[in-house]
């Protein structure tokens, strides 16, 4: 069979650059759009010049030159993406195999249609744009748009090692026949394209497993938060029941003291006992027993830790929600607030404000706490690794609600907007 020309080096450089750019557009970027565009243009020029200049090197230098090109891809990802070096290495391995597949597929179609034409022919350039555009658009639609929702990959060493080994194996097998002169036939092109495709599929399956494992970890963390909130609610309800019983006993003692003589001592003892009763009977009467229990428990906790906690709530607005969801939304939000203000050394700054009220046919739950340092938010508007806030968001979304978080004038504000109960509408 007639030997065919190999892939033009500029085609390879463009494929590698586009594969990296796909990840840069998906992951969290380190720079703005203008700086990223300038860096991307410089990298494309450097990668194209390097591969073009090293296109005629001896076979012994071919592997080091490819390694240098991969190193340039890795540097490009590290520079433009705000990810860890381990995540960048994983993305680089996947981008390299994806680029190999796109370049191999395009050139195989080129050699099948126009084996005698060079890569600079207008038809060849049109085919290049069609194949590269189709491959990368499909990969972005099928896979990367899901990664875009949560760009923190969290790649482990084991996952990185597996991805690198699979990428090297696919590259070695697909290019094995090209180490011998005169072996660039259409059958060899078929083998290379199929092996590269297999490498892309294997790495995509690995990505699915990693995403599923991360989802399981997040669900487990959220379930732990839910269980903790419900357990805390049960303990709080029992504690408040005991407090109420003690208050009743104290009232009986007060009645007995009033029956005694010596009015001066009786009045002093009564005032002291009634003061203690007021502290324990300072329960929040919102109209919802579950919400009353949670708020009372939080009030007592805040009193013990020098936290100024104020709350205005209409508990009847949450009557449509079961106990577990009220514990999840209100309990988790207050837990986050108390944990945040407890880090403040100045007790006068330990401020928490809570309000639950109706607003234009919706139920608004607003939780605010003082914070000296603004909280960084991810692309979804959530605190990074904030499983508590994500748990609140998941519970609110069950009712078609939304959760927003932002910092303003040293206040961290969490808003939960829920549709009103159909019975209330």
């Amino acid at each position: 069979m007639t030997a065919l020309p190999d892939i033009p080096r500029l085609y390879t450089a463009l494929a590698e650059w586009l594969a990296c750019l796909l990840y840069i557009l998906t992951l969290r970027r380190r720079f703005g759009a203008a700086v990223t565009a300038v860096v991307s243009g410089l990298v494309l020029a450097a990668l194209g010049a390097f591969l073009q200049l090293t296109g005629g090197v001896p076979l012994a230098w071919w592997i080091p030159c490819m390694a240098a090109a991969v190193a340039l891809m890795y540097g490009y990802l590290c520079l433009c993406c705000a990810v860890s070096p381990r995540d960048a290495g994983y993305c680089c391995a996947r981008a390299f195999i994806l680029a190999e597949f796109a370049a191999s597929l395009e050139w195989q179609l080129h050699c099948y249609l126009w084996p005698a034409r060079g890569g600079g022919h207008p038809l060849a350039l049109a085919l290049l744009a069609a194949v590269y555009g189709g491959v990368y658009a499909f990969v972005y639609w099928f896979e990367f748009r899901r990664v875009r929702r949560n760009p923190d990959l969290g790649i482990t060493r084991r996952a990185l090692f597996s991805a690198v080994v699979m990428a090297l194996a696919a590259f070695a097998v697909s290019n094995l026949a090209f180490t011998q002169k005169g072996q660039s036939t259409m059958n060899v092109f078929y083998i290379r394209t199929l092996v590269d495709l297999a490498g892309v599929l294997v790495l995509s399956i690995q990505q699915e497993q990693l995403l599923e494992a991360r989802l399981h970890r997040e669900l487990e963390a959220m379930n732990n938060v839910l269980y903790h909130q419900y357990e805390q609610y049960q303990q709080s309800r029992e504690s408040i029941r005991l407090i109420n019983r003690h208050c009743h006993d104290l009232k009986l003692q007060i009645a007995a003291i009033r029956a005694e003589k010596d009015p001066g001592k009786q009045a002093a003892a009564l005032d002291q006992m009634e003061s203690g009763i007021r502290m324990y009977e300072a329960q929040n009467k919102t109209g919802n027993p579950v919400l009353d229990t949670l708020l009372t428990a939080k009030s007592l906790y805040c009193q013990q830790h020098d936290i100024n906690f104020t709350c205005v709530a209409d508990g009847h607005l949450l009557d449509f929600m079961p106990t577990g969801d009220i514990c999840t939304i209100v309990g988790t939000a207050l837990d986050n607030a108390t944990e945040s203000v407890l880090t403040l050394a100045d007790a006068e700054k330990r401020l928490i404000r809570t309000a639950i009220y109706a607003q234009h046919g919706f139920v608004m739950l607003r939780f605010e706490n003082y914070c000296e340092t603004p909280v960084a938010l991810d692309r979804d508007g959530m605190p990074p690794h904030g499983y508590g806030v994500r748990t609140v968001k998941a519970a609110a979304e069950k009712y078609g609600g939304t959760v927003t978080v932002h910092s303003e004038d040293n206040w961290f504000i969490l808003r939960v907007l829920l549709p009103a109960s159909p019975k209330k509408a």
Side-chain angles (χ1 to χ4, degrees):
M1 298 180 66
T2 304
L4 299 172
D6 201 0
I7 304 174
R9 306 289 281 179
L10 292 178
Y11 279 25
T12 302
L14 180 60
E16 294 173 350
W17 180 78
L18 287 174
C20 292
L21 185 62
L22 198 63
Y23 278 96
I24 292 172
L25 295 176
T26 303
L27 301 176
R28 187 178 296 108
R29 293 194 292 272
R30 193 181 302 274
F31 310 113
V35 176
T36 302
V38 172
V39 173
S40 298
L42 294 175
V43 171
L44 176 60
L47 192 59
F50 175 76
L51 291 180
Q52 186 68 20
L53 293 174
T54 58
V57 298
L59 183 61
W61 285 95
W62 178 64
I63 296 297
C65 290
M66 291 302 300
V70 173
L72 185 58
M73 294 173 63
Y74 176 74
Y76 180 33
L77 290 170
C78 287
L79 181 62
C80 292
C81 297
V83 296
S84 66
R86 193 180 299 169
D87 288 356
Y90 175 80
C91 294
C92 182
R94 298 201 63 205
F96 177 66
I97 289 301
L98 178 61
E100 286 287 306
F101 167 70
S104 179
L105 176 63
E106 191 282 332
W107 193 245
Q108 178 182 333
L109 292 175
H110 175 94
C111 291
Y112 179 79
L113 296 173
W114 313 296
R117 290 176 179 172
H121 193 275
L123 290 177
L125 295 177
L127 180 65
L128 174 71
V131 174
Y132 281 13
V135 169
Y136 290 116
F138 175 79
V139 172
Y140 180 82
W141 174 83
F142 182 77
E143 180 177 355
F144 288 97
R145 61 175 183 170
R146 290 178 297 168
V147 179
R148 188 182 181 90
R149 300 192 189 108
N150 193 351
D152 297 319
L153 299 178
I155 300 299
T156 62
R157 293 182 180 178
R158 183 176 181 180
L160 174 61
F161 178 77
S162 300
V164 171
V165 169
M166 286 187 287
L168 290 176
F171 175 73
V173 174
S174 64
N175 289 274
L176 184 62
F178 292 91
T179 58
Q180 301 179 10
K181 296 295 184 180
Q183 295 297 318
S184 300
T185 62
M186 188 59 69
N187 288 336
V188 174
F189 283 176
Y190 288 148
I191 294 174
R192 176 168 63 180
T193 303
L194 289 176
V195 172
D196 288 336
L197 176 61
V200 171
L201 293 177
V202 169
L203 290 175
S204 297
I205 293 173
Q206 183 195 29
Q207 176 71 13
E208 289 293 325
Q209 293 175 343
L210 293 175
L211 291 175
E212 184 176 355
R214 184 176 63 186
L215 179 61
H216 281 305
R217 290 194 299 269
E218 292 180 355
L219 290 176
E220 183 178 357
M222 294 174 65
N223 286 333
N224 290 336
V225 172
L226 293 173
Y227 178 78
H228 173 72
Q229 288 299 326
Y230 187 77
E231 187 179 52
Q232 191 177 66
Y233 163 73
Q234 297 280 46
Q235 294 173 354
S236 300
R237 185 176 64 176
E238 180 64 20
S239 299
I240 293 173
R241 187 185 66 82
L242 294 174
I243 290 174
N244 289 335
R245 189 178 68 182
H246 288 316
C247 290
H248 180 70
D249 293 341
L250 287 173
K251 290 178 181 179
L252 295 178
Q253 293 177 18
I254 290 174
I257 292 175
R258 290 190 185 278
E260 297 293 334
K261 298 179 181 181
D262 194 352
K265 293 183 178 180
Q266 290 176 357
L270 287 171
D271 291 340
Q272 184 178 2
M273 294 179 68
E274 287 177 343
S275 177
I277 291 173
R278 291 192 193 99
M279 182 184 69
Y280 288 106
E281 281 194 326
Q283 299 185 21
N284 292 270
K285 302 299 183 181
T286 67
N288 186 297
V290 177
L291 186 60
D292 292 346
T293 300
L294 287 174
L295 294 178
T296 301
K298 293 301 179 184
S299 298
L300 295 174
Y301 179 87
C302 290
Q303 290 179 12
Q304 296 170 0
H305 293 83
D306 297 325
I307 299 174
N308 187 351
F309 173 64
T310 58
C311 177
V312 178
D314 182 359
H316 290 298
L317 295 173
L318 303 183
D319 287 344
F320 67 94
M321 297 179 66
T323 299
D325 290 338
I326 296 177
C327 294
T328 298
I329 295 177
V330 179
T332 303
L334 292 177
D335 277 350
N336 290 344
T338 53
E339 290 176 5
S340 176
V341 298
L342 282 176
T343 61
L344 301 175
D346 188 355
E348 295 184 356
K349 295 182 179 180
R350 297 176 183 174
L351 306 174
I352 298 177
R353 301 187 302 213
T354 301
I356 302 175
Y357 53 92
Q359 185 179 49
H360 304 300
F362 291 86
V363 180
M364 172 65 77
L365 297 89
R366 184 183 176 105
F367 305 91
E368 304 177 2
N369 65 271
Y370 188 85
C371 60
E372 294 180 336
T373 304
V375 179
L377 303 179
D378 60 19
R379 186 175 296 176
D380 295 329
M382 296 287 108
H385 311 296
Y387 292 123
V389 178
R390 295 184 187 277
T391 303
V392 173
K393 182 179 179 182
E397 288 176 347
K398 290 169 57 177
Y399 302 93
T402 60
V403 174
T404 58
V405 177
H406 75 281
S407 297
E408 178 182 327
D409 298 331
N410 293 112
W411 283 90
F412 178 80
I413 303 172
L414 169 65
R415 293 190 183 94
V416 182
L417 187 65
L418 302 172
S421 168
K423 296 181 180 179
K424 303 292 182 180

